Amino acid sequence: MKTKLQEWMIASIGRSIHAVRMNLIILQPLEVDAENCAVLSDERAQHIRKVLKAEVGKELKIGLLNGPLGIGTVQTLENQTVELSCIFKEEMPPKPRIDLLLAMPRPKVLKRMWAQLAALGVGRIVLLRAEKVERYYFDSHVVEPGFYNKLLIEGLQQACCTRLPDVQVEPLFKPFVEDRLECEFSNHWKLLADPSGEKRLRNFQPLSSFAKAPADLREKSRRILLAIGPEGGWTSYEREMLKDRGFELIGMGDRILRTDTATMGLLSVLNELFGSDR
Amino acid sequence: MKTKLQEWMIASIGRSIHAVRMNLIILQPLEVDAENCAVLSDERAQHIRKVLKAEVGKELKIGLLNGPLGIGTVQTLENQTVELSCIFKEEMPPKPRIDLLLAMPRPKVLKRMWAQLAALGVGRIVLLRAEKVERYYFDSHVVEPGFYNKLLIEGLQQACCTRLPDVQVEPLFKPFVEDRLECEFSNHWKLLADPSGEKRLRNFQPLSSFAKAPADLREKSRRILLAIGPEGGWTSYEREMLKDRGFELIGMGDRILRTDTATMGLLSVLNELFGSDR
């Protein structure tokens, strides 16, 4: 018995594929039956037939949403449907170690960020109101799960990952920061990107030793929470509130970057220096 | 006496400003007269009046295209024109140390990359044909100077920089790589981003010592040439040709990223670890 959300999730996986490079076919757990067989009839099936030009016996890279990667062998190809026999790996891919506290960007900007956030790898995304964030941004369809999950899954299929970022929308700054931030992110290393930040990521002492640490040590290390302000910046009140809760200010140099460029850039730097992948 | 290109450049600076965050007003050398006065009557004037709400006496951040930063003081505000009295700094901002050898992306992708390349800082951009690049990409208007300079200047005005990247279009792979690459980039540290690259930027030995080196040493160090392949990757022939000319393979982890995301990410990582800014 599938719930409405599950039904929708399956539909959205199928819908998401047009014009996107699908380096991984993502399956919902409910799509795989007890014999490890999955029958696809949506855009994924089209992609397998038309782009990958798969024939019976062809092995495809597959992944279970929020689960392991694996191999799907084409069993039958009929009309619009493709039947895959699935074998999944034992181990689960690790959850991306970086979480993001993002002052809600303009809907147009956020729209183009979703897939790339999933592709670069983020564990959890908190979209937060700030003084310089218009209230109406939160009424946009780009913060509806039906909209963003589709784009997040596109990003996962592009990047060959299965971990769907958790998304949390917080339309009130003060209650979230005062009452819940510390509790929900109690063990995170907290970084606040800000033009006033003089410390650079390249100069962090723990970082250089960290990069040299063996993989299993890195694996066990703390998660990171990266906070990125709105286009106009945090107010000094907001900045102080965050600093009081353990955020360290970091700078990115002299250049003033667009929110989306700054976010992708900082995620790339953090992934390079602290990422849990090889 | 202004040349046609100069006329166009001045016009394009004016046109470029709509809906862009203009953190710096960029002026063409020819717009500033012998008394260091500049009269603007295009979108920059509108931006100064309507967005910055400047009054007589207000000091604005200005920059000379490919020249120094400075301060422009509003002298008069009349109808559509703004008169600025300009003082420029003595020192020239350094040229960004990274050059980019980019397999020509799809025009739609390149279009949205231009401003961000200028904002992140690139000295020179070579757009190269490769086996997996469609020939017709080179017929697109997105590789015409009249189109891309407008977007590059938008990026500079966003990021508060003045150095316009040099753009070079190379529709033939072999002649460029065989006959000119080594000569034109003889002293560069050459990096080739490729899924087969196992070395990560974080592990480069020169890098860790480099990051700790004093600023003046970093300043004098070699330039970097970063090569990024097409969506489908370089062919092994192309990869070997580049390796034979001194390119070192670097990897970015397990994730498969879109060309634009990979480019912005690698530029951010290289800027963070090797950038000449503070």
Side-chain angles (χ1 to χ4, degrees):
Chain A
M1 181 63 194
K2 298 172 193 169
T3 66
K4 203 175 163 191
L5 179 65
Q6 284 163 343
E7 290 279 6
W8 164 83
M9 286 290 279
I10 291 173
S12 79
I13 292 180
R15 273 202 310 274
S16 69
I17 289 133
H18 61 282
V20 173
R21 207 176 172 81
M22 203 154 63
N23 297 306
L24 182 76
I25 309 280
I26 288 191
L27 305 170
Q28 264 280 2
L30 288 166
E31 291 181 295
V32 183
D33 69 16
E35 279 82 45
N36 277 326
C37 186
V39 179
L40 308 180
S41 57
D42 53 20
E43 279 88 344
R44 288 169 297 176
Q46 277 183 44
H47 183 86
I48 291 168
R49 298 162 59 91
K50 293 186 182 164
V51 182
L52 304 179
K53 301 194 194 314
E55 294 176 6
V56 171
K58 167 103 174 177
E59 296 188 340
L60 307 171
K61 284 175 83 171
I62 59 171
L64 212 54
L65 189 66
N66 285 321
L69 297 170
I71 296 291
T73 309
V74 177
Q75 299 298 306
T76 61
L77 282 161
E78 272 169 32
N79 299 322
Q80 303 301 315
T81 67
V82 173
E83 189 184 356
L84 296 177
S85 162
C86 308
I87 298 174
F88 293 101
K89 293 184 186 173
E90 292 277 322
E91 80 268 29
M92 286 279 287
K95 188 175 172 180
R97 90 154 358 109
I98 304 161
D99 295 325
L100 195 59
L101 180 64
L102 185 63
M104 178 76 181
R106 278 184 297 126
K108 190 182 155 185
V109 175
L110 182 57
K111 183 178 170 179
R112 64 171 179 248
M113 289 176 75
W114 284 122
Q116 298 318 298
L117 289 174
L120 283 167
V122 182
R124 182 169 163 189
I125 303 164
V126 180
L127 293 167
L128 184 61
R129 177 80 192 275
E131 178 79 22
K132 291 176 189 162
V133 167
E134 304 284 346
R135 192 183 306 243
Y136 73 85
Y137 290 180
F138 289 91
D139 301 330
S140 164
H141 67 291
V142 302
V143 290
E144 285 169 15
F147 183 85
Y148 63 69
N149 276 319
K150 173 173 159 331
L151 294 170
L152 290 173
I153 290 168
E154 277 186 12
L156 296 177
Q157 295 192 125
Q158 152 82 45
C160 281
C161 304
T162 64
R163 289 282 197 168
L164 190 71
D166 295 318
V167 177
Q168 181 176 344
V169 180
E170 296 291 346
L172 296 169
F173 181 88
K174 201 159 169 261
F176 173 74
V177 174
E178 280 190 339
D179 305 339
R180 287 183 291 125
L181 176 60
E182 276 171 298
C183 172
E184 292 183 23
F185 297 92
S186 58
N187 198 30
H188 282 60
W189 180 33
K190 299 185 184 73
L191 298 170
L192 177 63
D194 196 81
S196 70
E198 300 204 344
K199 205 159 181 181
R200 297 292 298 259
L201 282 172
R202 63 182 172 219
N203 295 327
F204 266 90
Q205 270 318 310
L207 183 140
S208 15
S209 50
F210 186 83
K212 285 171 200 149
D216 60 344
L217 184 66
R218 274 188 266 150
E219 213 70 41
K220 282 172 203 152
S221 182
R222 288 201 291 170
R223 298 185 61 76
I224 298 169
L225 178 61
L226 172 66
I228 294 183
E231 286 289 345
W234 302 104
T235 62
S236 54
Y237 168 80
E238 290 165 345
R239 200 179 296 112
E240 290 308 311
M241 288 266 285
L242 293 171
K243 277 167 72 180
D244 286 349
R245 274 146 197 94
F247 279 87
E248 290 186 73
L249 257 62
I250 51 162
M252 292 188 71
D254 296 328
R255 293 166 185 277
I256 304 175
L257 299 175
R258 250 168 39 188
T259 298
D260 53 340
T261 310
T263 306
M264 301 310 161
L266 282 166
L267 286 176
S268 300
V269 173
L270 288 170
N271 271 336
E272 181 64 30
L273 296 170
F274 295 90
S276 47
D277 55 355
R278 67 162 160 75
Chain B
M1 182 64 195
K2 296 171 193 171
T3 66
K4 202 175 163 191
L5 180 64
Q6 284 164 342
E7 289 280 4
W8 164 83
M9 285 290 280
I10 291 174
S12 79
I13 292 181
R15 274 201 310 275
S16 68
I17 289 133
H18 61 282
V20 174
R21 210 177 171 81
M22 202 154 65
N23 296 306
L24 181 76
I25 310 282
I26 288 190
L27 305 170
Q28 265 279 4
L30 288 166
E31 289 182 296
V32 183
D33 69 16
E35 279 80 44
N36 277 326
C37 185
V39 179
L40 308 180
S41 56
D42 54 19
E43 279 88 343
R44 289 169 297 176
Q46 276 183 45
H47 184 88
I48 292 168
R49 297 162 59 91
K50 292 185 183 165
V51 181
L52 303 179
K53 303 194 194 314
E55 294 177 6
V56 172
K58 169 105 172 174
E59 296 188 343
L60 307 171
K61 282 175 85 170
I62 59 171
L64 212 54
L65 190 66
N66 285 321
L69 297 171
I71 296 291
T73 309
V74 177
Q75 298 297 306
T76 60
L77 281 162
E78 270 169 35
N79 299 320
Q80 304 301 315
T81 68
V82 173
E83 189 185 357
L84 296 177
S85 163
C86 308
I87 298 174
F88 292 101
K89 293 183 187 176
E90 291 278 321
E91 80 269 28
M92 286 280 286
K95 189 174 172 183
R97 89 155 357 111
I98 304 161
D99 295 325
L100 196 59
L101 180 64
L102 185 63
M104 178 76 180
R106 279 184 296 128
K108 190 182 153 185
V109 175
L110 182 57
K111 183 177 169 180
R112 65 170 176 248
M113 290 175 74
W114 284 122
Q116 299 317 299
L117 290 174
L120 283 167
V122 182
R124 183 168 162 191
I125 303 165
V126 180
L127 293 167
L128 184 62
R129 178 80 193 275
E131 178 79 21
K132 291 178 189 162
V133 167
E134 303 285 345
R135 192 183 307 244
Y136 73 85
Y137 291 179
F138 289 91
D139 302 329
S140 165
H141 68 292
V142 301
V143 291
E144 285 168 16
F147 183 84
Y148 63 69
N149 276 320
K150 174 172 156 333
L151 294 170
L152 290 173
I153 291 168
E154 278 186 12
L156 296 177
Q157 296 192 123
Q158 153 82 47
C160 281
C161 303
T162 63
R163 289 281 199 170
L164 190 70
D166 295 319
V167 178
Q168 181 176 345
V169 180
E170 296 290 345
L172 296 169
F173 181 89
K174 201 159 169 262
F176 173 74
V177 174
E178 280 189 340
D179 305 337
R180 288 185 288 127
L181 176 60
E182 276 171 298
C183 171
E184 292 183 22
F185 297 92
S186 58
N187 197 31
H188 281 60
W189 179 33
K190 300 185 184 70
L191 298 170
L192 177 62
D194 196 82
S196 71
E198 299 203 344
K199 205 159 182 183
R200 297 292 298 259
L201 283 172
R202 64 181 171 220
N203 294 328
F204 268 90
Q205 271 318 310
L207 183 140
S208 13
S209 50
F210 185 85
K212 284 171 201 149
D216 61 344
L217 184 67
R218 274 187 267 150
E219 213 69 42
K220 283 172 202 153
S221 182
R222 288 202 292 171
R223 297 184 61 76
I224 299 169
L225 178 61
L226 171 67
I228 295 184
E231 285 290 344
W234 303 104
T235 63
S236 54
Y237 168 79
E238 291 165 344
R239 201 180 296 112
E240 291 308 311
M241 287 265 285
L242 293 171
K243 277 167 71 179
D244 286 350
R245 274 144 197 94
F247 278 87
E248 290 186 72
L249 257 62
I250 51 160
M252 291 188 72
D254 297 327
R255 293 165 185 277
I256 304 175
L257 299 176
R258 251 169 37 189
T259 297
D260 53 339
T261 310
T263 306
M264 302 308 160
L266 282 165
L267 286 177
S268 301
V269 173
L270 287 171
N271 271 337
E272 180 64 30
L273 295 169
F274 294 91
S276 47
D277 56 355
R278 68 156 161 76

